[in-house]
Amino acid sequence: MRALLIILGCFLAACNEVSVDAINAPLENKIGDALRGEIIFAAREGGHCILCHQVESLTAEFQGNVGPDLTYVSSRLTPAQMRLRIVDYDSVKPGTTMPPYYRKDNLNQVGGDYVGQTLLSAQDIEDIIAYLASLKESG
Ligand code: HEC
């Protein structure tokens, strides 16, 4: 009986971990600017989010489709959930092709000056979140 309770307890704890899938506080307390976020989202040498994602209202050509369409992402994810996914999607879904934009350790394929640097700054990420959160909900 005791063993069963322990197993059940672990199971519930594991479920809990999975449901904690957000970073609630803005990175470095930065305040996001949606207009700047749109520019970073679409910049091919910046966030290059657009290489893999589409947003209907963007006029940019050649939007990618490796990742999901983000036109209505604000009806699926809270800003806090978006934050975790942009920071380190691998922690939500190990092995994903979405790059970790704000993870300072375990980055493969970096060397020299880039060690310890994140792909985007805290401000960039907060701007992108403000932009995605400002997109219309479906309907
Ligand atoms: C190399 C391709 C690639 C790039 C570049 C990329 N993503 Fe993604 N993204 C993905 C994939 C693939 C998924 C779906 C996760 C999965 O199933 O592995 C995803 C998922 C997401 C999600 C969650 C969408 C949902 O409906 O759950 C958000 C938000 C997101 N990406 C934002 C961004 C932002 C912002 C950028 C740029 C800073 C970006 N992505 C760059 C591939 C990419």
Side-chain angles (χ1 to χ4, degrees):
M1 187 59 195
R2 200 192 163 113
L4 187 65
L5 281 179
I6 291 172
I7 292 168
L8 185 65
C10 295
F11 177 69
L12 290 175
C15 287
N16 243 339
E17 262 169 46
V18 172
S19 68
V20 177
D21 75 338
I23 299 175
N24 291 319
L27 302 174
E28 296 176 18
N29 288 321
K30 302 289 187 196
I31 296 169
D33 173 343
L35 284 179
R36 198 172 168 269
E38 176 174 343
I39 294 168
I40 299 165
F41 186 91
R44 283 169 201 278
E45 63 291 343
H48 56 257
C49 314
I50 207 161
L51 291 182
C52 294
H53 293 286
Q54 328 92 67
V55 170
E56 265 169 32
S57 53
L58 281 178
T59 48
E61 286 176 72
F62 308 121
Q63 302 187 34
N65 59 7
V66 172
D69 186 323
L70 297 181
T71 306
Y72 301 119
V73 68
S74 68
S75 60
R76 294 194 295 272
L77 298 174
T78 64
Q81 289 174 311
M82 293 180 203
R83 186 173 293 111
L84 174 61
R85 283 153 179 75
I86 299 169
V87 164
D88 185 6
Y89 213 127
D90 213 51
S91 69
V92 178
K93 184 176 172 188
T96 182
T97 45
M98 166 109 176
Y101 284 94
Y102 199 73
R103 193 173 66 189
K104 295 184 181 162
D105 55 342
N106 296 331
L107 279 180
N108 28 27
Q109 300 166 346
V110 298
D113 294 347
Y114 293 99
V115 170
Q117 304 249 342
T118 57
L119 294 179
L120 290 177
S121 71
Q123 184 69 64
D124 291 342
I125 292 177
E126 292 306 322
D127 292 346
I128 292 173
I129 294 167
Y131 165 60
L132 292 176
S134 76
L135 295 172
K136 289 267 168 290
E137 305 216 343
S138 58

